[in-house]
Amino acid sequence: QAGEREMTWADFSAFWSANRHLLAQRTIEHLQLMGMALAAATLVGLPAGIVAARVRWLATPLITLANVIQTIPSLALLAFLLPFLGIGAAPAICALALYAIMPVLRNTLAALQDESQNLAAIGLALGLTPREILWRIKIPQGLPLLVSGLRTAAVWSVGTATIAAFIGAGGLGEFINRGISLLDPALMLLGAIPAALL
């Protein structure tokens, strides 16, 4: 049995070695999907959070909308986007961005509404404008929360991006999809292990 396990491990290692160039290509595709989705989510979520922090009545509807999007199953969201964006990377990036907006928006609001250190009131007393208070006090003070939101969005995007293979968007999900179709555990692990490491 020990000999069989060693042979299996050797075969598995040889399989990974033979597919390392394709693995690198799929990993780059996966990172590109994630990167573009995170950039889009940041470009939408950060300004929306800044506006909602200043116009308080907008906060609840925006957070509710972001939460509703989170409840939509990823395959259902991709199926909804296909008629509008076609097959490929575009609907995958759009879906990933929609999922990633929620943690960015929520943490931006939490960072800008945090009055625990009362630094904004001190800045106001010193004669700073609301814009100066935002950029010189609130954003630097809330940077750990902002980065935490981006990190959460990135973690969600890594897992969700594997579903993108079902619509021809590439990435590590291609291995998982083919492995399921062919009942090949080595192919599944070729996609699952790097995705988990990411």
Side-chain angles (χ1 to χ4, degrees), residues 62-168:
L62 286 175
I63 289 291
T64 301
L65 178 61
N67 283 331
V68 167
I69 292 171
Q70 285 288 322
T71 65
I72 301 172
S74 51
L75 281 176
L77 184 57
L78 286 172
F80 175 77
L81 292 171
L82 282 179
F84 303 101
L85 300 174
I87 291 176
I93 292 167
C94 184
L96 290 173
L98 287 171
Y99 283 129
I101 284 173
M102 199 269 277
V104 175
L105 173 63
R106 184 187 58 204
N107 281 36
T108 301
L109 271 170
L112 298 183
Q113 291 178 346
D114 181 17
E115 302 292 345
S116 59
Q117 298 185 34
N118 213 26
L119 293 178
I122 295 170
L124 193 62
L126 291 172
L128 296 180
T129 65
R131 185 183 296 272
E132 289 172 329
I133 291 171
L134 174 67
W135 291 103
R136 294 186 181 183
I137 296 176
K138 287 192 171 183
I139 288 181
Q141 179 187 353
L143 202 56
L145 266 175
L146 296 174
V147 172
S148 174
L150 289 173
R151 186 173 61 236
T152 302
V155 169
W156 288 356
S157 296
V158 170
T160 310
T162 56
I163 306 294
F166 287 99
I167 57 167

